[in-house]
Amino acid sequence: MTGRTFTVVGGGPVGSLLAISLARHGYKVGLYEGRPDSRKTSIYQGRSINIALSDRGWASLEKIGIGAEAKQQSIPMYHRAIHGVDGEMSELPYGQEGDAIWSVSRGGINEQLLDTAEEEPNITTYFELRLMDIDFETATTTFRSKSADELTVAADFAFGADGANSKVRRLAYGLHRFSYSQTYMPQCYIELNIPANPDGSHRLEKNALHIWPRKDFMLIALPNPDGTFTCTLFLNYSGDPSFESLTERSAVEAFFTANFADAMDLLEDPVDTFMQRTAAPLFLVNVFPWSFNRKVGLIGDAAHAIVPFYGQGMNCGFEDCAELDVLIGKHNHDWDQIFAAYENARKPNGDAIAELSKRNFVEMSDLSGDPRFQIRKKIEAKFSDCHPELWTPLYSMVTFSPDIPYSEALRIGDIQNAVMERIMAIPGIDKDWDKPFVMDRLFDLTSEFLETRQ
Amino acid sequence: MTGRTFTVVGGGPVGSLLAISLARHGYKVGLYEGRPDSRKTSIYQGRSINIALSDRGWASLEKIGIGAEAKQQSIPMYHRAIHGVDGEMSELPYGQEGDAIWSVSRGGINEQLLDTAEEEPNITTYFELRLMDIDFETATTTFRSKSADELTVAADFAFGADGANSKVRRLAYGLHRFSYSQTYMPQCYIELNIPANPDGSHRLEKNALHIWPRKDFMLIALPNPDGTFTCTLFLNYSGDPSFESLTERSAVEAFFTANFADAMDLLEDPVDTFMQRTAAPLFLVNVFPWSFNRKVGLIGDAAHAIVPFYGQGMNCGFEDCAELDVLIGKHNHDWDQIFAAYENARKPNGDAIAELSKRNFVEMSDLSGDPRFQIRKKIEAKFSDCHPELWTPLYSMVTFSPDIPYSEALRIGDIQNAVMERIMAIPGIDKDWDKPFVMDRLFDLTSEFLETRQ
């Protein structure tokens, strides 16, 4: 037992996991959440909000012993199921045989982590306490309760795990040499629902992530265990078509019918839902440093909110926790060293997954529907099968290779892009892609590029 | 007279110029400054703070009729005077014969603009009123006086012209889809002084900007009319050498002696000053939009704080005012249109000068002292003399060509870089640079690149 105390602001998945990790290292942890406890009050209003979990995330959950239990409540998605405008469908596997990303209930995983946290004698959880202020010199925090009482909490250290809109981060604006940015994407989103069949089965193929790629916008659907799908429509905030331009009911109906004809029979009141809901913004957060005075740190979305197009947000936050876990041991609880090592190790990876996630919007919404893109993916997959030592596809590096840091995946991915641009420029590649000479050329180019572009 | 009212927050050079421009369009303007009136209280504590003014800035001052008067109190600098480590000096002209950037007293120009503003019956100036809050829906502002009285000011519109640390901008964080960033540079700075000779003359060549380029750091000196020079030492915040590493008096003395030997006899107590002063940070601000609800706008450093290495900060802010001045006429006082047109016209230019200014640190601190860089500049100057229709050097586009927007200067500058990289790769260019074949090659390359890279 170290006897030292931590305040963790934010009882979401990352804050809960962090608390567990700190407690198991012997720290006394207060875990403070602003919203009510979802295990007692339904704050999700019957909506299933799901997120993608993949190998990086599973590794973290397994480490604390809840991986198997969480996996039981999750649905593996082995491929992208791509819905054309004409209703025609195609499949694009995510990786090799058996590789899957998992559709996980955000609320479910959060509750499981909270249950696990509360089993730790070193953790006390608090709900409906909103952070009002933090003293970055002393890590003392002030919270306000529902009844407007103020509570001042002293601790040796504090972490802001309070998400994309982190109050801890916003309170740090203006601190000495703190660089920060919050940048809105052109797209916003709303969530829609596909209900289950009367018998509880799924109305679309269950083990797939469904995509309706329409270039400037797209609809996606992730399966839930109860037979429903949670769908997300990503669409520009302004321009045409956009949330701003689609205000008339008839125009919204025409938009859905023209673009998502095959989904119209499945979606639950898409037009009404579109008319009623306010589109949520997508934004990126980029800050540095991730710690202040070696007393207060930022973690998860609070440090690096990204866009959801790679399904890596929670995975990345869990990886932050895993890194800290290792560093606490490595630096023997010396937080002067741990904070510095943590932010230096994780910042390049946060930047890399932010960049990769931004790029993946184009890949999902535009390229997924492009026949040449699908050929490219097939060539890559085949080459990777022949020469796994030379080529792991970018998607697999990011999603199925927790030992490859995001920053390294980005670097190698850029080399692969340069190589594949040359390959796709070969005349007749559309029909010849399966010929042996393509593999030979790819072998030569890859060997050359990997050698020269370190 | 339009009868409508404006609150301008910030009585610096940009705020004062904006107020004058608005008043002359018939608006009633309240100009609010948080600091005391420098014409009554010396807030500069005897220090001359000078900034560079060039053609874009002069155009704005001439437009309101104070250009000639301001120029009288300014000192033209026709070239860079480069001080080598060994004390050897070289010269690099800024442009063509007669082209100069001007060393201007920030306080002086500010006071002249305030005097001019106060001659306008439509302008009322207020000092020592600090902005506390702004309602972005109504443009109503709240100020606090020195005696802690609160003052609420209603107006039809408001502008934040309150500088790099703009309170208006910071209060806008969190507004709908407002993207913002504040990013610290590795360098910080302190100001030093070179006193005048006993007879009031300058101790270094007067009509030059003096640079001691030392790659990772540099010292510069700008002349003042009173015979002094205001010097700025730019040095990394951390690392070696840095403001953080140089804490011992003996180390600071050794640093100055080793790097600025020829300046040691001229500078006034550089070591003591270094030890006493806190290094000021350099940061960039990038935000969008620059207006909110068509009621409140941002202008000057409040919208786009940049680093000082191109000497364009005030010029760019003055250009913002000039653009608004044109748009008020063009859109006939319709501020729905003016705000939109203003931010769309100016944002790309703010981004471009931000990028150019960052790059110019390398040019000033590293390349200025590099013989190959000087050869490159000579080749460019010669080619520009022969073919002015094909080539205006980047520095001249930015500094002496107010008709070329910053964004266009950046675009053409990148093409020039690509061309000059090829030229400087010619074997033996160091000795052959003056030969006719170099001009021929440059002509061919430039024609080709300008055609193909639109």
Side-chain angles (χ1 to χ4, degrees):
Chain A
M1 295 291 159
T2 78
R4 285 184 289 175
T5 54
F6 267 88
T7 295
V8 175
V9 181
V14 172
S16 307
L17 180 60
L18 172 65
I20 294 165
S21 172
L22 291 170
R24 292 189 182 174
H25 277 288
Y27 296 97
K28 235 174 129 46
V29 183
L31 180 61
Y32 294 82
E33 170 58 39
R35 285 170 298 182
D37 186 347
S38 68
R39 294 164 301 178
K40 294 176 184 155
T41 321
S42 171
I43 55 171
Y44 296 108
Q45 300 172 319
R47 287 160 64 198
S48 302
I49 298 179
N50 46 25
I51 44 185
L53 201 62
S54 53
D55 293 28
R56 293 172 202 269
W58 288 122
S60 300
L61 294 184
E62 273 150 25
K63 202 169 174 181
I64 62 158
I66 64 166
E69 195 190 334
K71 222 161 200 171
Q72 274 175 16
Q73 298 165 38
S74 309
I75 299 177
M77 301 177 287
Y78 298 103
H79 59 261
R80 310 161 182 90
I82 300 166
H83 298 245
V85 180
D86 51 8
E88 201 166 314
M89 292 199 52
S90 54
E91 278 187 13
L92 210 51
Y94 275 119
Q96 298 194 291
E97 185 81 32
D99 281 341
I101 59 173
W102 299 71
S103 176
V104 173
S105 153
R106 189 193 184 280
I109 204 100
N110 199 167
E111 291 176 5
Q112 219 179 329
L113 282 162
L114 285 170
D115 287 344
T116 308
E118 289 177 352
E119 284 165 17
E120 293 292 325
N122 273 345
I123 298 179
T124 313
T125 56
Y126 304 87
F127 293 89
E128 298 183 74
L129 284 178
R130 293 201 167 275
L131 181 73
M132 302 311 293
D133 204 2
I134 181 162
D135 182 330
F136 288 96
E137 300 278 344
T138 63
T140 299
T141 43
T142 311
F143 296 90
R144 185 174 290 169
S145 74
K146 229 174 30 171
S147 54
D149 294 329
E150 293 227 332
L151 176 72
T152 299
V153 179
D156 293 305
F157 306 102
F159 261 100
D162 47 347
N165 285 304
S166 172
K167 179 80 182 264
V168 176
R169 182 184 72 237
R170 283 180 287 133
L171 288 169
Y173 293 170
L175 288 189
H176 184 60
R177 297 185 68 73
F178 182 46
S179 293
Y180 55 84
S181 78
Q182 177 161 331
T183 314
Y184 285 83
M185 297 288 290
Q187 300 89 20
C188 287
Y189 70 94
I190 54 167
E191 276 164 353
L192 301 167
N193 184 47
I194 293 178
N197 285 316
D199 66 357
S201 63
H202 288 82
R203 298 177 75 178
L204 283 171
E205 186 193 352
K206 175 183 170 181
N207 291 112
L209 191 152
H210 294 262
I211 313 179
W212 290 257
R214 299 295 181 263
K215 201 162 179 181
D216 291 333
F217 55 94
M218 67 173 171
L219 178 71
I220 67 169
L222 274 76
N224 299 310
D226 63 1
T228 65
F229 283 87
T230 302
C231 306
T232 312
L233 172 67
F234 297 98
L235 175 66
N236 280 337
Y237 176 73
S238 59
D240 187 26
S242 72
F243 285 106
E244 220 176 41
S245 76
L246 292 168
T247 51
E248 298 293 325
R249 205 179 189 292
S250 57
V252 174
E253 198 155 350
F255 169 76
F256 272 94
T257 310
N259 292 294
F260 312 117
D262 67 331
M264 284 301 275
D265 299 335
L266 308 170
L267 289 162
E268 186 175 30
D269 304 326
V271 177
D272 288 333
T273 311
F274 186 100
M275 300 292 292
Q276 285 155 17
R277 291 217 173 126
T278 303
L282 293 171
F283 57 88
L284 292 137
V285 166
N286 192 324
V287 301
F288 200 79
W290 289 4
S291 69
F292 312 100
N293 309 311
R294 306 299 183 228
K295 289 298 259 181
V296 179
L298 295 172
I299 195 162
D301 282 355
H304 49 69
I306 60 179
V307 289
F309 306 121
Y310 228 116
Q312 284 295 314
M314 191 164 71
N315 292 285
C316 182
F318 282 3
E319 229 183 37
D320 293 344
C321 297
E323 180 79 48
L324 261 180
D325 190 68
V326 169
L327 293 172
I328 291 169
K330 186 176 169 192
H331 295 292
N332 196 23
H333 300 267
D334 176 347
W335 283 86
D336 280 4
Q337 291 187 52
I338 295 166
F339 277 122
Y342 158 71
E343 65 196 8
N344 289 326
R346 291 303 296 162
K347 169 71 172 164
N349 292 312
D351 288 349
I353 192 60
E355 174 63 25
L356 287 163
S357 302
K358 259 204 305 196
R359 290 187 194 174
N360 221 44
F361 178 76
V362 181
E363 184 144 333
M364 286 181 83
S365 71
D366 188 358
L367 303 177
S368 291
D370 174 357
R372 277 181 67 84
F373 173 77
Q374 301 197 19
I375 288 170
R376 185 184 147 165
K377 289 283 156 188
K378 284 182 195 162
I379 297 173
E380 284 189 51
K382 188 176 164 194
F383 186 65
S384 177
D385 281 347
C386 303
H387 296 285
E389 77 290 359
L390 276 184
W391 194 285
T392 307
L394 176 60
Y395 195 92
S396 295
M397 285 192 283
V398 171
T399 308
F400 307 123
S401 314
D403 292 340
I404 301 177
Y406 290 125
S407 56
E408 184 65 3
L410 176 61
R411 191 185 71 79
I412 297 172
D414 282 343
I415 292 174
Q416 292 178 343
N417 276 338
V419 168
M420 287 307 296
E421 258 176 43
R422 301 262 197 112
I423 294 292
M424 295 306 290
I426 296 172
I429 190 70
D430 301 43
K431 53 179 189 5
D432 291 342
W433 71 268
D434 215 9
K435 301 251 171 81
F437 82 89
V438 175
M439 288 296 114
D440 293 345
R441 182 91 186 96
L442 196 42
F443 182 85
D444 293 344
L445 276 173
T446 306
S447 310
E448 179 200 324
F449 274 57
L450 283 176
E451 255 173 47
T452 53
R453 303 196 180 180
Q454 281 307 315
Chain B
M1 293 293 156
T2 78
R4 285 186 289 174
T5 53
F6 267 90
T7 295
V8 174
V9 181
V14 171
S16 307
L17 180 61
L18 172 65
I20 294 165
S21 172
L22 291 169
R24 293 190 181 173
H25 277 288
Y27 296 98
K28 233 175 127 47
V29 182
L31 181 61
Y32 294 83
E33 170 58 39
R35 284 169 299 182
D37 186 346
S38 68
R39 295 165 299 179
K40 294 175 186 158
T41 321
S42 169
I43 56 172
Y44 295 107
Q45 300 170 320
R47 287 159 68 197
S48 304
I49 298 179
N50 45 25
I51 45 183
L53 201 63
S54 53
D55 293 27
R56 293 173 200 268
W58 288 122
S60 301
L61 294 184
E62 273 149 25
K63 202 169 174 180
I64 61 158
I66 64 167
E69 194 189 335
K71 223 161 200 173
Q72 276 175 15
Q73 297 164 39
S74 308
I75 298 177
M77 301 177 286
Y78 297 103
H79 59 261
R80 310 160 183 89
I82 300 166
H83 298 245
V85 180
D86 51 9
E88 200 165 315
M89 293 199 53
S90 53
E91 278 187 16
L92 210 52
Y94 275 117
Q96 297 193 294
E97 184 83 31
D99 281 341
I101 58 173
W102 299 71
S103 176
V104 173
S105 153
R106 189 192 183 281
I109 204 98
N110 199 165
E111 292 176 6
Q112 218 181 327
L113 282 161
L114 285 171
D115 287 343
T116 308
E118 289 177 352
E119 283 163 20
E120 293 291 325
N122 273 344
I123 298 178
T124 314
T125 56
Y126 304 87
F127 293 89
E128 297 184 77
L129 283 179
R130 293 200 167 275
L131 181 74
M132 303 312 292
D133 204 1
I134 181 161
D135 182 331
F136 289 97
E137 300 278 344
T138 62
T140 299
T141 42
T142 311
F143 295 91
R144 185 173 290 168
S145 75
K146 230 174 33 171
S147 54
D149 294 330
E150 293 227 333
L151 176 72
T152 298
V153 178
D156 293 305
F157 305 103
F159 261 100
D162 47 348
N165 284 305
S166 172
K167 180 80 181 265
V168 176
R169 182 185 73 235
R170 282 181 289 133
L171 288 168
Y173 293 169
L175 288 189
H176 184 60
R177 296 184 69 71
F178 182 47
S179 293
Y180 54 84
S181 78
Q182 177 161 332
T183 315
Y184 285 83
M185 297 288 290
Q187 300 89 19
C188 288
Y189 69 94
I190 54 166
E191 277 164 352
L192 300 168
N193 184 49
I194 293 178
N197 284 318
D199 66 358
S201 63
H202 289 81
R203 298 178 74 177
L204 284 170
E205 186 192 352
K206 174 184 172 181
N207 292 112
L209 191 153
H210 294 262
I211 312 179
W212 289 258
R214 299 294 180 266
K215 199 161 181 183
D216 290 333
F217 55 95
M218 68 173 169
L219 179 69
I220 66 169
L222 274 75
N224 299 309
D226 64 1
T228 65
F229 282 87
T230 302
C231 307
T232 312
L233 172 67
F234 296 99
L235 175 66
N236 280 337
Y237 177 73
S238 58
D240 188 26
S242 71
F243 285 107
E244 220 174 43
S245 77
L246 292 169
T247 50
E248 298 292 324
R249 207 181 186 289
S250 57
V252 175
E253 197 154 351
F255 169 76
F256 272 94
T257 310
N259 291 295
F260 311 116
D262 67 331
M264 284 301 275
D265 298 335
L266 308 170
L267 289 163
E268 185 175 32
D269 304 326
V271 177
D272 287 334
T273 311
F274 185 101
M275 300 293 290
Q276 284 155 17
R277 293 215 174 129
T278 304
L282 293 171
F283 58 88
L284 292 137
V285 166
N286 191 323
V287 301
F288 200 78
W290 289 4
S291 70
F292 313 101
N293 308 311
R294 307 298 183 228
K295 288 298 259 181
V296 179
L298 295 172
I299 196 163
D301 282 355
H304 50 67
I306 60 178
V307 289
F309 305 122
Y310 229 115
Q312 285 295 313
M314 192 165 72
N315 292 284
C316 183
F318 282 3
E319 228 183 37
D320 293 345
C321 297
E323 181 79 47
L324 262 181
D325 190 66
V326 169
L327 293 171
I328 292 170
K330 186 176 169 191
H331 295 292
N332 195 23
H333 299 268
D334 176 347
W335 282 87
D336 280 5
Q337 291 188 51
I338 294 166
F339 276 123
Y342 158 70
E343 66 196 8
N344 288 326
R346 293 302 297 162
K347 169 71 173 164
N349 292 312
D351 288 350
I353 193 60
E355 174 62 26
L356 287 164
S357 302
K358 257 202 308 193
R359 291 187 193 172
N360 221 42
F361 178 75
V362 181
E363 185 146 333
M364 286 181 84
S365 70
D366 188 358
L367 302 178
S368 291
D370 176 356
R372 275 180 70 83
F373 173 76
Q374 301 198 20
I375 289 170
R376 187 187 145 163
K377 288 283 156 189
K378 282 182 196 161
I379 297 172
E380 284 190 52
K382 188 176 164 194
F383 185 65
S384 177
D385 280 347
C386 303
H387 296 284
E389 78 289 359
L390 275 184
W391 194 286
T392 307
L394 176 60
Y395 195 91
S396 295
M397 286 192 282
V398 171
T399 308
F400 306 123
S401 313
D403 292 339
I404 302 176
Y406 290 126
S407 56
E408 184 64 4
L410 176 61
R411 191 185 71 79
I412 297 172
D414 281 343
I415 292 175
Q416 293 178 343
N417 275 338
V419 169
M420 287 307 297
E421 256 175 45
R422 301 264 197 110
I423 294 291
M424 295 306 290
I426 296 172
I429 190 71
D430 301 44
K431 54 180 189 6
D432 291 341
W433 71 269
D434 215 9
K435 300 251 171 81
F437 82 88
V438 174
M439 289 296 114
D440 293 345
R441 183 93 186 95
L442 197 40
F443 181 85
D444 293 344
L445 276 174
T446 305
S447 311
E448 179 200 325
F449 275 58
L450 284 175
E451 256 172 46
T452 53
R453 303 196 180 181
Q454 281 306 317

